[in-house]
Amino acid sequence: MAQIELRLSSKVQKETKMCEVLIRFFQGTKFNTRAKSGIFISPEYFEYYIDRAKTEKNDVKVPANLATVTQEKADKNNYVLRQSGLIVIKQRLETPDVKYHREQANRLDELKKTIIETYESNRDENVTSEWLQLVCDKFVNPDKFIVRAKEQKSFYVLAEEYIAKRKISYAHAKVFRVLMREVARFEGYLRAKEPGYQNFVFDINTVTRKDIENFIEYLRHEYSLSQENPDLYKQLLTEYPASVTKGNCKLEDRGENTVIKAAKRLKSLFLWFYEEEYTRNRPFDGINIGTEKVGTPYYITIEERNTIAETDLAAAYDAMSEEDRKGISKIHLPEYGVQGCSGSCATPP
């Protein structure tokens, strides 16, 4: 069972003489995370649990009814303390200071409840210290995570904005638009085929880590899905959202490197959305995309190099069958030293 412990930061604010309450959220060996709560209190209101066994081992007696003490009292009585504690209010007179600390104690109880509920609502979430800090930040400063109405734009509109503002090259822009079409087909497939996803929208504010992982898995299997559902994909490949530029209507099986590159492009978009304050959502946190694998280089011999240099590339291309030409990119032969290519060309130097 997941547990929460509290302790007090050793840093004291100069103006208020208060310290921040620190959170530890853990569950056995499954995860052990820490974060700042954003809640500040006076050290005199925070008491640590006494480690009775270690204290008595040092020949120091602890009163039977004493479970917690402040750091100051522990130092005076040589009590050994555990690393966790709680806010304790013993004052009976309701002064402004007492009222403040009672409110902070209630806020901490609510924060602890929020952490547990957030975790319980999605146990598949990768619980890290960054995840815990985000939960705390959203609780303490909810206004920071409210996206202004004027910024509520679709994923596709913002992706085009990214392309424009980053002034990326035409070739680079093309691959991002390929990604946009892939996301649109992912949306369409889920709505048509997955129970409970009839109204699914790839919204930058609500998309989850699980949605991202499902999208990456979808990319791996889209070609086979298109073979199994030809009528659906005939529609998906032609009917894109208005803000999505149409492109090639033919799908091909993807290798793992292609999938990884697409995932990295999508991650770069979400990082930009976050940096530009279009969203506070970070669905890629905790996702390990992986790295493209490069094959072992093959080195040609001097003789092979000379054969290539002496070959009339244009003539060789003209002699190819249409089937053989499909595997060759449409390149500009003049870039390879072949001038005036129109059927027959001079041999490159």
Side-chain angles (χ1 to χ4, degrees), residues 65-80:
N65 62 344
L66 188 62
T68 62
V69 293
T70 63
Q71 183 70 57
E72 183 180 6
K73 188 173 180 179
D75 293 340
K76 287 181 180 180
N77 293 276
N78 296 317
Y79 295 148
V80 179

Side-chain angles (χ1 to χ4, degrees), residues 73-287:
K73 188 173 180 179
D75 293 340
K76 287 181 180 180
N77 293 276
N78 296 317
Y79 295 148
V80 179
L81 300 177
R82 298 186 182 278
Q83 293 186 348
S84 61
L86 71 166
I87 295 179
V88 177
I89 300 174
K90 297 178 179 178
Q91 294 86 343
R92 293 185 179 182
L93 184 62
E94 192 74 2
T95 64
D97 192 46
V98 170
K99 182 180 179 182
Y100 168 82
H101 283 86
R102 203 180 300 282
E103 290 173 350
Q104 302 316 302
N106 291 336
R107 289 183 74 200
L108 274 171
D109 288 340
E110 287 298 318
L111 174 56
K112 289 160 67 176
K113 181 181 177 182
T114 299
I115 292 170
I116 294 295
E117 289 178 348
T118 304
Y119 171 67
E120 293 291 344
S121 66
N122 189 0
R123 283 181 168 268
D124 294 332
E125 192 84 26
N126 185 32
V127 180
T128 62
S129 292
E130 289 77 13
W131 174 89
L132 179 60
Q133 190 62 64
L134 185 60
V135 174
C136 292
D137 290 346
K138 285 182 177 180
F139 176 85
V140 177
N141 300 299
D143 291 344
K144 286 176 56 179
F145 296 86
I146 298 175
V147 180
R148 293 183 294 276
K150 68 176 183 179
E151 295 178 339
Q152 297 289 349
K153 301 176 182 178
S154 73
F155 166 81
Y156 309 106
V157 170
L158 288 174
E160 283 292 346
E161 195 170 308
Y162 170 88
I163 292 171
K165 289 188 175 181
R166 295 295 294 268
K167 297 180 180 179
I168 59 180
S169 67
Y170 174 74
H172 201 188
K174 283 180 65 177
V175 296
F176 273 94
R177 291 189 174 111
V178 168
L179 174 65
M180 292 162 64
R181 291 193 290 271
E182 290 166 346
V183 170
R185 294 196 298 272
F186 172 65
E187 270 187 328
Y189 177 82
L190 290 184
R191 291 174 187 165
K193 290 293 184 178
E194 293 297 321
Y197 281 83
Q198 290 82 359
N199 298 314
F200 176 77
V201 176
F202 199 83
D203 188 306
I204 67 169
N205 294 309
T206 59
V207 68
T208 65
R209 174 189 171 190
K210 186 176 181 180
D211 293 329
I212 298 297
E213 291 173 335
N214 287 341
F215 172 67
I216 294 173
E217 194 64 20
Y218 170 84
L219 291 179
R220 293 189 175 103
H221 302 287
E222 186 182 38
Y223 179 73
S224 59
L225 291 172
S226 69
Q227 299 300 301
E228 296 167 8
N229 305 275
D231 292 338
L232 172 61
Y233 275 85
K234 183 178 180 181
Q235 178 182 353
L236 294 180
L237 286 164
T238 55
E239 298 179 8
Y240 289 107
S243 50
V244 176
T245 304
K246 293 183 180 181
N248 188 3
C249 293
K250 181 179 178 182
L251 294 180
E252 296 180 352
D253 204 8
R254 298 183 183 88
E256 188 62 18
N257 282 359
T258 303
V259 173
I260 290 173
K261 289 176 181 177
K264 286 183 175 179
R265 292 185 191 107
L266 185 58
K267 182 177 181 179
S268 70
L269 284 176
F270 270 95
L271 287 174
W272 186 78
F273 298 157
Y274 184 86
E275 291 169 357
E276 294 294 312
E277 298 184 354
Y278 285 116
T279 185
R280 304 308 297 176
N281 188 22
R282 295 172 61 93
F284 273 88
D285 284 357
I287 293 181

Side-chain angles (χ1 to χ4, degrees), residues 281-300:
N281 188 22
R282 295 172 61 93
F284 273 88
D285 284 357
I287 293 181
N288 181 16
I289 295 176
T291 307
E292 302 99 309
K293 291 181 173 60
V294 180
T296 304
Y298 177 81
Y299 299 95
I300 64 175

Side-chain angles (χ1 to χ4, degrees), residues 319-338:
M320 286 183 178
S321 66
E322 287 298 324
E323 189 65 27
D324 289 337
R325 290 182 183 181
K326 289 181 180 179
I328 298 177
S329 300
K330 295 179 180 179
I331 59 173
H332 298 290
L333 290 179
E335 296 177 7
Y336 289 81
V338 182

